[in-house]
mmCIF file of all heavy atoms in Angstrom:
data_model
loop_
_atom_site.group_PDB
_atom_site.id
_atom_site.type_symbol
_atom_site.label_atom_id
_atom_site.label_comp_id
_atom_site.label_asym_id
_atom_site.label_seq_id
_atom_site.Cartn_x
_atom_site.Cartn_y
_atom_site.Cartn_z
ATOM 1 N N THR A 118 -5.924 -11.567 17.231
ATOM 2 C CA THR A 118 -6.183 -10.718 18.363
ATOM 3 C C THR A 118 -6.866 -9.468 17.941
ATOM 4 O O THR A 118 -6.596 -8.926 16.818
ATOM 5 C CB THR A 118 -4.912 -10.343 19.108
ATOM 6 O OG1 THR A 118 -3.936 -9.736 18.231
ATOM 7 C CG2 THR A 118 -4.292 -11.590 19.721
ATOM 8 N N ILE A 119 -7.721 -8.883 18.819
ATOM 9 C CA ILE A 119 -8.344 -7.558 18.650
ATOM 10 C C ILE A 119 -7.267 -6.511 18.480
ATOM 11 O O ILE A 119 -6.340 -6.550 19.348
ATOM 12 C CB ILE A 119 -9.393 -7.214 19.678
ATOM 13 C CG1 ILE A 119 -10.472 -8.275 19.713
ATOM 14 C CG2 ILE A 119 -9.895 -5.839 19.469
ATOM 15 C CD1 ILE A 119 -11.227 -8.364 18.445
ATOM 16 N N PRO A 120 -7.241 -5.672 17.538
ATOM 17 C CA PRO A 120 -6.095 -4.722 17.294
ATOM 18 C C PRO A 120 -6.116 -3.574 18.317
ATOM 19 O O PRO A 120 -7.084 -3.322 18.971
ATOM 20 C CB PRO A 120 -6.306 -4.232 15.955
ATOM 21 C CG PRO A 120 -7.730 -4.293 15.732
ATOM 22 C CD PRO A 120 -8.258 -5.534 16.454
ATOM 23 N N ILE A 121 -4.919 -2.958 18.377
ATOM 24 C CA ILE A 121 -4.771 -1.713 19.166
ATOM 25 C C ILE A 121 -5.003 -0.568 18.293
ATOM 26 O O ILE A 121 -4.598 -0.514 17.100
ATOM 27 C CB ILE A 121 -3.274 -1.683 19.691
ATOM 28 C CG1 ILE A 121 -3.052 -2.879 20.638
ATOM 29 C CG2 ILE A 121 -2.982 -0.364 20.354
ATOM 30 C CD1 ILE A 121 -1.514 -2.970 20.975
ATOM 31 N N VAL A 122 -5.778 0.420 18.831
ATOM 32 C CA VAL A 122 -6.088 1.604 18.009
ATOM 33 C C VAL A 122 -4.952 2.602 18.110
ATOM 34 O O VAL A 122 -4.383 2.835 19.134
ATOM 35 C CB VAL A 122 -7.440 2.278 18.628
ATOM 36 C CG1 VAL A 122 -7.634 3.637 17.848
ATOM 37 C CG2 VAL A 122 -8.617 1.331 18.339
ATOM 38 N N LEU A 123 -4.585 3.121 16.939
ATOM 39 C CA LEU A 123 -3.481 4.109 16.787
ATOM 40 C C LEU A 123 -4.158 5.477 16.693
ATOM 41 O O LEU A 123 -4.712 5.858 15.637
ATOM 42 C CB LEU A 123 -2.684 3.829 15.595
ATOM 43 C CG LEU A 123 -1.923 2.348 15.680
ATOM 44 C CD1 LEU A 123 -1.255 2.129 14.341
ATOM 45 C CD2 LEU A 123 -1.024 2.220 16.804
ATOM 46 N N GLU A 124 -4.088 6.273 17.713
ATOM 47 C CA GLU A 124 -4.759 7.526 17.806
ATOM 48 C C GLU A 124 -4.295 8.611 16.906
ATOM 49 O O GLU A 124 -3.009 8.591 16.594
ATOM 50 C CB GLU A 124 -4.780 8.034 19.221
ATOM 51 C CG GLU A 124 -5.489 7.199 20.292
ATOM 52 C CD GLU A 124 -6.880 7.046 20.063
ATOM 53 O OE1 GLU A 124 -7.520 7.846 19.415
ATOM 54 O OE2 GLU A 124 -7.481 6.135 20.773
ATOM 55 N N PRO A 125 -5.107 9.523 16.321
ATOM 56 C CA PRO A 125 -4.656 10.600 15.537
ATOM 57 C C PRO A 125 -3.989 11.694 16.331
ATOM 58 O O PRO A 125 -3.959 11.575 17.458
ATOM 59 C CB PRO A 125 -5.999 11.052 14.749
ATOM 60 C CG PRO A 125 -7.021 10.722 15.819
ATOM 61 C CD PRO A 125 -6.590 9.415 16.391
ATOM 62 N N LEU A 126 -3.463 12.712 15.630
ATOM 63 C CA LEU A 126 -2.988 13.891 16.293
ATOM 64 C C LEU A 126 -4.138 14.551 17.087
ATOM 65 O O LEU A 126 -5.275 14.436 16.737
ATOM 66 C CB LEU A 126 -2.392 14.852 15.332
ATOM 67 C CG LEU A 126 -1.069 14.445 14.605
ATOM 68 C CD1 LEU A 126 -0.878 15.309 13.405
ATOM 69 C CD2 LEU A 126 0.090 14.415 15.514
ATOM 70 N N PRO A 127 -3.781 15.305 18.181
ATOM 71 C CA PRO A 127 -4.822 15.847 19.041
ATOM 72 C C PRO A 127 -5.923 16.569 18.337
ATOM 73 O O PRO A 127 -7.044 16.594 18.722
ATOM 74 C CB PRO A 127 -3.996 16.812 19.973
ATOM 75 C CG PRO A 127 -2.590 16.108 19.972
ATOM 76 C CD PRO A 127 -2.404 15.588 18.618
ATOM 77 N N ARG A 128 -5.686 17.309 17.276
ATOM 78 C CA ARG A 128 -6.612 18.192 16.660
ATOM 79 C C ARG A 128 -7.360 17.506 15.575
ATOM 80 O O ARG A 128 -8.248 18.033 14.830
ATOM 81 C CB ARG A 128 -5.983 19.457 16.053
ATOM 82 C CG ARG A 128 -4.983 19.217 14.943
ATOM 83 C CD ARG A 128 -4.253 20.452 14.428
ATOM 84 N NE ARG A 128 -3.482 20.258 13.400
ATOM 85 C CZ ARG A 128 -2.167 19.732 13.426
ATOM 86 N NH1 ARG A 128 -1.672 19.497 14.671
ATOM 87 N NH2 ARG A 128 -1.378 19.708 12.363
ATOM 88 N N HIS A 129 -7.097 16.208 15.292
ATOM 89 C CA HIS A 129 -7.664 15.447 14.248
ATOM 90 C C HIS A 129 -8.653 14.331 14.695
ATOM 91 O O HIS A 129 -8.749 14.099 15.895
ATOM 92 C CB HIS A 129 -6.480 14.643 13.393
ATOM 93 C CG HIS A 129 -5.655 15.590 12.684
ATOM 94 N ND1 HIS A 129 -4.663 15.150 11.853
ATOM 95 C CD2 HIS A 129 -5.628 16.946 12.612
ATOM 96 C CE1 HIS A 129 -4.050 16.194 11.288
ATOM 97 N NE2 HIS A 129 -4.601 17.286 11.697
ATOM 98 N N THR A 130 -9.484 13.896 13.801
ATOM 99 C CA THR A 130 -10.485 12.978 14.013
ATOM 100 C C THR A 130 -10.305 11.557 13.628
ATOM 101 O O THR A 130 -10.892 10.658 14.093
ATOM 102 C CB THR A 130 -11.829 13.416 13.496
ATOM 103 O OG1 THR A 130 -11.694 13.537 12.019
ATOM 104 C CG2 THR A 130 -12.279 14.799 14.024
ATOM 105 N N SER A 131 -9.375 11.345 12.608
ATOM 106 C CA SER A 131 -9.150 10.028 12.014
ATOM 107 C C SER A 131 -7.721 9.701 11.805
ATOM 108 O O SER A 131 -6.885 10.685 11.733
ATOM 109 C CB SER A 131 -9.932 9.876 10.822
ATOM 110 O OG SER A 131 -11.311 10.010 10.934
ATOM 111 N N SER A 132 -7.299 8.548 11.705
ATOM 112 C CA SER A 132 -5.954 8.107 11.349
ATOM 113 C C SER A 132 -5.960 6.936 10.458
ATOM 114 O O SER A 132 -6.859 6.084 10.539
ATOM 115 C CB SER A 132 -5.168 7.804 12.652
ATOM 116 O OG SER A 132 -5.751 6.718 13.408
ATOM 117 N N HIS A 133 -4.903 6.750 9.640
ATOM 118 C CA HIS A 133 -4.697 5.556 8.946
ATOM 119 C C HIS A 133 -3.233 5.079 9.067
ATOM 120 O O HIS A 133 -2.324 5.849 8.941
ATOM 121 C CB HIS A 133 -4.909 5.864 7.345
ATOM 122 C CG HIS A 133 -6.327 5.779 6.878
ATOM 123 N ND1 HIS A 133 -6.757 5.347 5.717
ATOM 124 C CD2 HIS A 133 -7.503 6.177 7.559
ATOM 125 C CE1 HIS A 133 -8.078 5.447 5.625
ATOM 126 N NE2 HIS A 133 -8.545 5.981 6.665
ATOM 127 N N ALA A 134 -3.121 3.832 9.414
ATOM 128 C CA ALA A 134 -1.790 3.182 9.536
ATOM 129 C C ALA A 134 -1.464 2.540 8.207
ATOM 130 O O ALA A 134 -2.311 1.643 7.882
ATOM 131 C CB ALA A 134 -1.726 2.275 10.690
ATOM 132 N N THR A 135 -0.366 2.769 7.621
ATOM 133 C CA THR A 135 -0.124 2.176 6.278
ATOM 134 C C THR A 135 1.052 1.274 6.239
ATOM 135 O O THR A 135 1.213 0.463 5.328
ATOM 136 C CB THR A 135 0.134 3.321 5.297
ATOM 137 O OG1 THR A 135 1.223 4.189 5.723
ATOM 138 C CG2 THR A 135 -1.128 4.213 5.030
ATOM 139 N N ALA A 136 1.960 1.321 7.291
ATOM 140 C CA ALA A 136 3.146 0.486 7.212
ATOM 141 C C ALA A 136 3.872 0.386 8.594
ATOM 142 O O ALA A 136 3.663 1.197 9.446
ATOM 143 C CB ALA A 136 4.175 1.014 6.177
ATOM 144 N N LEU A 137 4.643 -0.655 8.762
ATOM 145 C CA LEU A 137 5.512 -0.843 9.951
ATOM 146 C C LEU A 137 6.812 -1.586 9.597
ATOM 147 O O LEU A 137 6.772 -2.309 8.516
ATOM 148 C CB LEU A 137 4.692 -1.565 11.078
ATOM 149 C CG LEU A 137 4.621 -3.097 11.019
ATOM 150 C CD1 LEU A 137 4.180 -3.605 12.402
ATOM 151 C CD2 LEU A 137 3.731 -3.572 9.943
ATOM 152 N N ASN A 138 7.787 -1.415 10.451
ATOM 153 C CA ASN A 138 8.986 -2.285 10.207
ATOM 154 C C ASN A 138 9.229 -3.278 11.342
ATOM 155 O O ASN A 138 8.326 -3.452 12.106
ATOM 156 C CB ASN A 138 10.233 -1.288 10.044
ATOM 157 C CG ASN A 138 10.451 -0.413 11.239
ATOM 158 O OD1 ASN A 138 9.992 -0.728 12.423
ATOM 159 N ND2 ASN A 138 11.275 0.594 11.078
ATOM 160 N N GLU A 139 10.362 -3.868 11.329
ATOM 161 C CA GLU A 139 10.655 -4.997 12.299
ATOM 162 C C GLU A 139 10.772 -4.424 13.711
ATOM 163 O O GLU A 139 10.619 -5.148 14.635
ATOM 164 C CB GLU A 139 11.897 -5.730 11.912
ATOM 165 C CG GLU A 139 11.756 -6.420 10.573
ATOM 166 C CD GLU A 139 10.569 -7.426 10.558
ATOM 167 O OE1 GLU A 139 10.370 -8.111 11.505
ATOM 168 O OE2 GLU A 139 9.955 -7.428 9.456
ATOM 169 N N ARG A 140 11.022 -3.152 13.821
ATOM 170 C CA ARG A 140 11.071 -2.540 15.177
ATOM 171 C C ARG A 140 9.734 -2.074 15.655
ATOM 172 O O ARG A 140 9.648 -1.413 16.655
ATOM 173 C CB ARG A 140 12.038 -1.353 15.175
ATOM 174 C CG ARG A 140 13.551 -1.770 15.011
ATOM 175 C CD ARG A 140 14.439 -0.606 15.043
ATOM 176 N NE ARG A 140 14.295 0.271 13.909
ATOM 177 C CZ ARG A 140 14.697 1.517 13.878
ATOM 178 N NH1 ARG A 140 15.217 2.085 14.933
ATOM 179 N NH2 ARG A 140 14.568 2.299 12.838
ATOM 180 N N ARG A 141 8.659 -2.369 14.922
ATOM 181 C CA ARG A 141 7.260 -1.972 15.104
ATOM 182 C C ARG A 141 7.101 -0.491 15.196
ATOM 183 O O ARG A 141 6.263 0.046 15.840
ATOM 184 C CB ARG A 141 6.816 -2.528 16.544
ATOM 185 C CG ARG A 141 6.877 -4.077 16.565
ATOM 186 C CD ARG A 141 6.102 -4.594 17.810
ATOM 187 N NE ARG A 141 6.205 -6.048 17.752
ATOM 188 C CZ ARG A 141 7.148 -6.692 18.513
ATOM 189 N NH1 ARG A 141 8.017 -6.066 19.288
ATOM 190 N NH2 ARG A 141 7.151 -8.021 18.562
#
Side-chain angles (χ1 to χ4, degrees):
T118 56
I119 299 298
I121 297 168
V122 173
L123 301 173
E124 298 292 345
L126 292 167
R128 64 185 184 277
H129 290 184
T130 57
S131 300
S132 60
H133 277 216
T135 56
L137 81 165
N138 62 16
E139 297 304 318
R140 293 184 290 161
R141 300 191 182 97

